[in-house]
Amino acid sequence: MTSDANLHDIATAEERAFNADAAWQDDVRQGVRHARDLASLPLSPGERAAAHGAAANHKVRIPKAYLDLIDWNDPADPIRAQVIPSPEELEEAEGELGDPIADHDFSPVPRLTHRHADRVLLFPTYQCAVYCRFCFRKESLTAIGRGYAREALELALAYIAAHPEIREVILTGGDPLSLPDKALAEIFARIEAIAHVRLLRIHTRVPVALPSRITSGLVEALQGRLMVTVVTHFNHAREITDATEAACRTMRQAGFVLLNQSVLLKGVNDTVEVLEELCRELMYRLGVKPYYLHHGDLARGMAHRRTTIAEGQALAGALRARLSGICNPVYVLDLPEGGGKVPLGPCYVEGRDGETWRLRGLDGEVRTYTEIVGT
Ligand code: SF4
């Protein structure tokens, strides 16, 4: 691997490795790889006019497997809405932020964020298999844009080794699973060698957008002492296909714990029917536990995809009433200024009178619960 000193070489080397590694290379090669590839798609006049301006703010890449899910007859198609640049992206609202959850403010060394004592985010790459228009890290991906370089992680790995309170390392980015197997194995081995780290978590959209990348070689690269949890990012049941099912099966059989985080996106998944089907299919078909439903953060140019918090609370309440606990995600907001993820409810506590609490049940009826606690 090359050093971070030469951006162009790193990107080129990673692209070569990424594209020449296995059969899934066709999915990458035949998809959208650059903004200019959008010209061959049946875009609306607005999308066509916005393509290059939006691509300057946030890269464009769509593997063929994901592109094929778009129904081009539907201007509001929920897959299209996630990956095709739109004119609204160019409209920045006052108060929107370049770094919505303050990753950079909590970064003691490059490529690492340490916000909570027992865990860190590690950024092995700032490149992705797919670029989602709503991404809250899009400005880092555009500004930094670098691929994997062994030397670039040395300070971050030394930091983790010097902090025994760190139990979990979260590979994020960029998309860690867009890296070649060799790089993943190398990163895994370096983290595994740090005795106080117990769990490796991987945040990725690869199982959604490029499921053919989940190969036996990839899961073998992540075998060892560490507990491995893969947090996928499905936003709509239309993303769940035979290929994503096979990818998740491969990861389950490798012993990985599978969780999913979705982003609540207006026009994509902001109805109870869509979210209910998504959560059920995740759990029942893929064996992926719905973990978080994120309220939209303040990424620039994303006002058109955000719901209100009240709308999100109503959806979360309806899901709570319809779905079993194992199918229910927690509705959260990752606070600005690095305040962490906080649940947004709904809240079932209506009030209290001394030791008697008034609580609203899932049927809407308010009941009381009087505490009886032994001394
Ligand atoms: S894969 Fe993740 S990091 Fe990459 S653009 Fe999508 S949301 Fe952002």
Side-chain angles (χ1 to χ4, degrees), residues 3-148:
S3 124
D4 245 349
N6 187 331
L7 286 191
H8 177 72
D9 286 351
I10 291 163
T12 306
E14 182 166 322
E15 187 100 339
R16 271 202 303 273
F18 188 57
N19 290 340
D21 200 22
W24 43 266
Q25 63 184 289
D26 286 345
D27 257 343
V28 176
R29 195 184 300 118
Q30 294 169 16
V32 170
R33 299 176 64 202
H34 309 281
R36 62 177 176 271
D37 298 337
L38 293 168
S40 62
L41 300 177
L43 303 184
S44 70
E47 288 169 332
R48 205 168 289 288
H52 284 276
N57 292 339
H58 184 31
K59 287 181 276 191
V60 177
R61 180 182 278 167
I62 316 166
K64 183 172 187 302
Y66 199 76
L67 200 59
D68 285 349
L69 298 179
I70 296 175
D71 174 1
W72 292 104
N73 294 317
D74 179 5
D77 179 82
I79 310 297
R80 178 180 189 155
Q82 294 184 62
V83 290
I84 300 295
S86 70
E88 292 86 354
E89 278 180 57
L90 300 171
E91 295 167 17
E92 186 181 324
E94 195 177 336
E96 291 185 324
L97 300 167
D99 181 12
I101 63 170
D103 282 335
H104 297 298
D105 292 351
F106 290 83
S107 179
V109 293
R111 292 186 178 239
L112 182 139
T113 291
H114 195 184
R115 214 177 337 250
H116 309 289
D118 67 344
R119 55 203 186 272
V120 290
L121 303 179
L122 184 65
F123 301 85
T125 178
Y126 287 95
Q127 298 180 4
C128 300
V130 63
Y131 289 106
C132 317
R133 305 322 299 170
F134 52 84
C135 179
F136 73 92
R137 291 214 173 96
K138 63 182 176 180
E139 298 198 26
S140 294
L141 303 186
T142 302
I144 304 173
R146 296 171 183 164
Y148 173 63

Side-chain angles (χ1 to χ4, degrees), residues 201-258:
R201 211 195 304 174
I202 298 171
H203 287 186
T204 177
R205 279 214 102 193
V206 162
V208 183
L210 187 60
S212 52
R213 173 68 189 94
I214 307 298
T215 60
S216 56
L218 182 145
V219 299
E220 276 164 26
L222 300 167
Q223 294 294 323
R225 172 183 68 82
L226 295 170
M227 176 67 72
V228 174
T229 297
V230 175
V231 183
T232 61
H233 183 169
F234 289 87
N235 286 326
H236 195 283
R238 285 258 312 282
E239 296 170 331
I240 298 175
T241 63
D242 289 349
T244 56
E245 186 179 346
C248 291
R249 188 183 311 115
T250 299
M251 293 191 289
R252 283 205 325 275
Q253 289 172 347
F256 303 166
V257 173
L258 301 185

Side-chain angles (χ1 to χ4, degrees), residues 52-53 55 75 113 122 132 159 175 186 298 335 375:
H52 284 276
T113 291
L122 184 65
C132 317
Y159 180 92
D175 196 318
E186 187 171 83
L298 294 174
L335 291 173
T375 54

